[in-house]
Amino acid sequence: MSVLSQIEELLSKASAELQSASSAADVEQVKVRFLGRKGELPAILKGVKDLAPEERKPVGAAANKARVSLEQQVNERLESFESSSSADFDFTLPGTPISVGRPHLLVRTMADIAEIFSSKGFLVANGPEVESDNYNFGSLNFPPDHPARDMQDTFYLREANGLPEGLLLRTHTSNVQVREFEKRTPPVKIVAPGKVFRHEAVSSRAYCVFHQVEGFQVGPNVTLGDLKGVLLAFCQEYFAEDIELRFRPSFFPFTEPSAEVDMSCLLCAGKGCSICKYDGWLEILGCGMIDPNVMKAVGYDPEVLSGYAFGMGVERIAMLKHRITDIRLFYENDLRFLRQF
Amino acid sequence: MKISYNWVREIAPVDWSADEMADRLTLAGTACETVIDLSAGFAKMVVGKVETCGPIEESDHLRHATVNVGEQSLNIICGAPNVAAGQLVAVALVGAVMPDGMKISRRKMFGIESEGMILSERELGLSDEHEGIIVLADGLEVGAPLSSIYGLNDYMLEFELTPNRPDSMSAIGIARDVAALAGCEMRRPEVSLTEEQEKTSDSIEVIIEDAEFCPRYTARIVKNVKIGPSPKWLRDKLAASGQTSINNVVDVTNYVMLEFGEPLHAFDLAQFASGKVVIKRAKSKEKFVTLDEVEREVDESVLMITNGSESLAAGGVMGGLHSSVTNATKDILLEAAYFDASLIRKSRRKLGLSTDSSARFERGVDPNLTVTAINRAAQLLVEVAGGSPLAGVVDNYPKSIEPLKVELRPARCHQIMGVKVESERIEEILVGLEMGVTRSDSGEALVVTVPTFRPDITREIDLIEEVTRIIGFDNIPTTKGYLAATDNRKSEAVEKQDDLVVTLRQTLLGIGFNEICGSGLADGRLLELIDPEKPQIEVANPISDEFGSMRNSLAYSLLNAARVNVTHQTTDLRLFELGNVYGAGIGDKSQAFPNVISADHERPCLGVLVTGQNQPDWRSSRSALDFYVLKGAIEALRAQGRLAKILISPEKLPVFQRGQGFVLQDRTGKEIGRIGNVDSAILKRFDIKQSVSLFELDVAALTGFIQREKNYQTLSKFPAADRDLSLVLNESTLVGKMLEGVKKVGGELVERVQVFDLFRGKQVPEGKKSVAISIRYRSAKKSLESSQVDGLQQKIIVYLKQEFKAEIREK
Ligand SMILES: [Zn+2]
């Protein structure tokens, strides 16, 4: 059989197979078998170089014509399959819902805060919410019957149902300070996130329960400068690089010197706006150098050691960061609120 | 505390503006919260003369006045009962803005157009007095601007002082800080007095029965005073310091209190006919009418100032109504005392009264100031009320309180602050705060004499604080000592529990549960409904019943959250909370597991709630969020948390529907939680009208059941064979028990058994259910022959027929 008739036969065979192909995959197979690098048509063409020079030209032309024709048929067949299978494929239909839960904003905020301190080598510790007067006040240098106790209105617990007398709901996570000091030998660096309770009327600005992150460091040479340093580093990492802090001397029984710390307003950068009440500053935390009486109460020698402590309200920080205007939303647990974060 | 800016500058002459003074004091720890410009706020307000005043027919209390305001007469409708023709009154013209922001405009009532407003003290923000309008003194020019009377060329500084700073509760105290900050000299008022021949001690004797609580009592008599209004300078200073003027005598005692911080009291001397001032504890259940005309019951916690038989004042808190100075008073007994701070705290709590006097005494006044203050008051009484002071004072001060000496080492100051402050600078600061400073023998320390007006300073650290606040935190460089390394190991048990909590949270979030946060405080009545047996921790001083107890289960918080969401039409819920439950002794470490980390009266728990249905989808039908979803969640938690098996055992439990509540147990049968469908009566109380399922797990207990790291098990290289089986079972047959049986009979060749269909209805006889299961067989050692699989399948069928009376349905 001449090469030319071989080509003709191959073309009609391939055409027939393409017509009977029932899927795009079949068409691809036919294409590979006849046109592929190791397919039948290239195999025929390989023999062309053995032909006499005058025969080469017509064979080459016929082979080329056959290839073009086959390629065209392949494409037509592929198109016919594509259009029939994508006709009912609507890529705009909604994706299958896959439920993912959201962490509570307060839990997330506490974890974010703790994470920053963890990265600076602070240990994250917890302490009890039902607490004794001693751990909440006494060992933190709140003398009994001192006006300082009025600063933190306290829920006291009834001696009933098996509960011993003299217990209260902690008013700050500073109780963790004393409890950890008792267990550890300095140097120590700890942050204590957790729930605290204050006897306060519920309103959009205040709730009788809130969360706090207390942090402290005790060591041989811990200074007020270090306290300023750690708070500035935290605020710049958590809020924004260009945050500035302002320290206003204040009073807390368990620290001395003490200060309240304001942060330059996130929104107006100190120029004054409704968020900062046109002050340019936002009050965010309280801090100070740990009072020698607190050190003595846990057997640390204040002559050898010094330390700082700070405490921040988690709700306050979350409210500032996300511009939340009503603190009660945190405890209502309305998913329309919780799932925004 | 409020104080006049001008007054502070008289004592500490600085050229700071009021705002600057407020800022500098605040940054030195004397927090000045607000500055009120007293010259502002009287725009469009004038002196008016009431020309006519008559009733309005249609109204029972409003009256129609015509008021001359200089160039014209205005019609004004007024509601005050004390308006009368001829009076000089304060009038706000149309366009004036009141302190509360209200703008005066023309208003038409009863056919009369009112063209202004006659003002009361409260409307002007001068006092709470709103009963009647202000009647101005005669002789004022009609039409004169009101600012010429009330408008003070002054600012009111309002301080929010911390309880450790009694020294700053006066003009002199504030000025002391200003002077220390500015480095200027203070100009104290000069106290000088011309006295009568007659001695105070001839007329009165002071007997202190309880010197512990009244360490000092100083009395002075001023005779022949003329009670009347105070002069303008005195009224202005009081007004700019937030005090209402009462009469010249009371104003003088208030003035000296504001000036020096020493509360004074003026009695009508006629009340001391006995010639004695006796200071003693009140009798139990004694009745006493205070100056504010309220009868109060007092007891031994209150110190009374008496004439020996009658109580005349509650010492340090408030005078009595019957001993107060009246217009008929001629002779005055002045009191300047020093009361114990904690006693005054108790007294004012007992009396339910907080006064300017008690606020100062309970923080601690200067015991060595009484004579200066009482002489200053006598001096002013001579000036403004024409009194004649008797010679000397009667000063009962049995045990003198001396200034403390405290050493301050500049090196220690450096150690705390982290920056070196030269000892000369430290000395300068302390001297500026009116402390005495000398060098110790070794020369290394400063010996500081702390005046008695600073009872808060008893230790070196207190002095370091003073140095810090005057230098200012801003001038302390920030350092990075916080990066120092420490040993941060957690105990193994704490580590384990912390890890478990993270795993539980992450797993639940991953499978679509939303985290909630309950407050922990709970309504005890609802807790009791949820579980009447479980004891509660009760708050002794709750803010309301709603927050009267501590939650003893997470069910309470979960059901509350469900209520809120269902109310807002979010009816399909998957919720969880990781938090504490509270109960006396529930954290007892001996009671449960060796690794429990919890405090004595609280325990970390996990609560999970579902209700409603899965989200609808265009290609799958909705399925209920119910008990079985919870079982699936527990299985996911168990797998992710590497927890040992959790068993479910039926038991009658309070929160759940009868027969639908179950105890969750560990392998040993110990209770670690509960699961079930919530009782409908409870749901009703929470306003939830759809079924709810929940479970609670004790996280502390779970921590004890974390399995050690598992060893690798080889994977079978051989193919599995799946066989399905359709069964008809009695309704009472427990499918879970049947599945366990299948695994047991099938032995190690049964890789897994799944239920893929369950239905009741037409094709199934009454009292029966149809269950379809799929069994996967696989060997680790070889390819299973189909005959071997069929044999095993047959063995299982026989077993199911015998043990569970199962019928096999042919396909
Ligand atoms: Zn702002």
mmCIF file of all heavy atoms in Angstrom, chain A residues 265 267-270 272-276 280, ligand 1:
data_model
loop_
_atom_site.group_PDB
_atom_site.id
_atom_site.type_symbol
_atom_site.label_atom_id
_atom_site.label_comp_id
_atom_site.label_asym_id
_atom_site.label_seq_id
_atom_site.Cartn_x
_atom_site.Cartn_y
_atom_site.Cartn_z
ATOM 1 N N CYS A 265 -4.889 59.100 71.788
ATOM 2 C CA CYS A 265 -6.134 58.602 71.197
ATOM 3 C C CYS A 265 -5.865 57.914 69.866
ATOM 4 O O CYS A 265 -5.139 58.412 69.010
ATOM 5 C CB CYS A 265 -7.108 59.759 71.015
ATOM 6 S SG CYS A 265 -8.660 59.242 70.272
ATOM 7 N N LEU A 267 -7.895 57.404 67.506
ATOM 8 C CA LEU A 267 -8.618 57.937 66.364
ATOM 9 C C LEU A 267 -8.015 59.259 65.886
ATOM 10 O O LEU A 267 -7.797 59.463 64.708
ATOM 11 C CB LEU A 267 -10.081 58.142 66.750
ATOM 12 C CG LEU A 267 -11.031 58.279 65.596
ATOM 13 C CD1 LEU A 267 -11.103 56.981 64.824
ATOM 14 C CD2 LEU A 267 -12.414 58.677 66.102
ATOM 15 N N CYS A 268 -7.734 60.158 66.846
ATOM 16 C CA CYS A 268 -7.362 61.514 66.456
ATOM 17 C C CYS A 268 -5.892 61.793 66.717
ATOM 18 O O CYS A 268 -5.437 62.906 66.479
ATOM 19 C CB CYS A 268 -8.230 62.518 67.212
ATOM 20 S SG CYS A 268 -7.924 62.499 68.982
ATOM 21 N N ALA A 269 -5.158 60.805 67.236
ATOM 22 C CA ALA A 269 -3.731 60.971 67.527
ATOM 23 C C ALA A 269 -3.467 62.198 68.398
ATOM 24 O O ALA A 269 -2.509 62.935 68.177
ATOM 25 C CB ALA A 269 -2.917 61.023 66.241
ATOM 26 N N GLY A 270 -4.339 62.423 69.370
ATOM 27 C CA GLY A 270 -4.075 63.483 70.334
ATOM 28 C C GLY A 270 -4.725 64.824 70.021
ATOM 29 O O GLY A 270 -4.657 65.740 70.826
ATOM 30 N N GLY A 272 -7.957 65.380 69.626
ATOM 31 C CA GLY A 272 -9.243 65.529 70.297
ATOM 32 C C GLY A 272 -10.388 65.114 69.407
ATOM 33 O O GLY A 272 -10.521 65.598 68.285
ATOM 34 N N CYS A 273 -11.202 64.170 69.890
ATOM 35 C CA CYS A 273 -12.360 63.716 69.123
ATOM 36 C C CYS A 273 -13.390 63.171 70.105
ATOM 37 O O CYS A 273 -13.175 63.192 71.307
ATOM 38 C CB CYS A 273 -11.949 62.634 68.121
ATOM 39 S SG CYS A 273 -11.451 61.104 68.915
ATOM 40 N N SER A 274 -14.499 62.650 69.577
ATOM 41 C CA SER A 274 -15.555 62.211 70.485
ATOM 42 C C SER A 274 -15.155 60.961 71.265
ATOM 43 O O SER A 274 -15.604 60.739 72.378
ATOM 44 C CB SER A 274 -16.845 61.961 69.701
ATOM 45 O OG SER A 274 -16.639 60.911 68.788
ATOM 46 N N ILE A 275 -14.287 60.114 70.696
ATOM 47 C CA ILE A 275 -13.866 58.898 71.396
ATOM 48 C C ILE A 275 -13.104 59.265 72.678
ATOM 49 O O ILE A 275 -13.322 58.691 73.733
ATOM 50 C CB ILE A 275 -12.963 58.018 70.485
ATOM 51 C CG1 ILE A 275 -13.673 57.636 69.199
ATOM 52 C CG2 ILE A 275 -12.458 56.789 71.232
ATOM 53 C CD1 ILE A 275 -14.718 56.570 69.318
ATOM 54 N N CYS A 276 -12.203 60.230 72.581
ATOM 55 C CA CYS A 276 -11.388 60.605 73.745
ATOM 56 C C CYS A 276 -12.008 61.779 74.497
ATOM 57 O O CYS A 276 -11.358 62.387 75.329
ATOM 58 C CB CYS A 276 -9.977 60.947 73.317
ATOM 59 S SG CYS A 276 -9.874 62.284 72.118
ATOM 60 N N GLY A 280 -7.766 63.966 73.803
ATOM 61 C CA GLY A 280 -6.579 63.481 73.108
ATOM 62 C C GLY A 280 -5.958 62.266 73.760
ATOM 63 O O GLY A 280 -5.066 61.643 73.211
HETATM 64 ZN ZN ZN C 1 -9.488 61.304 70.058
#
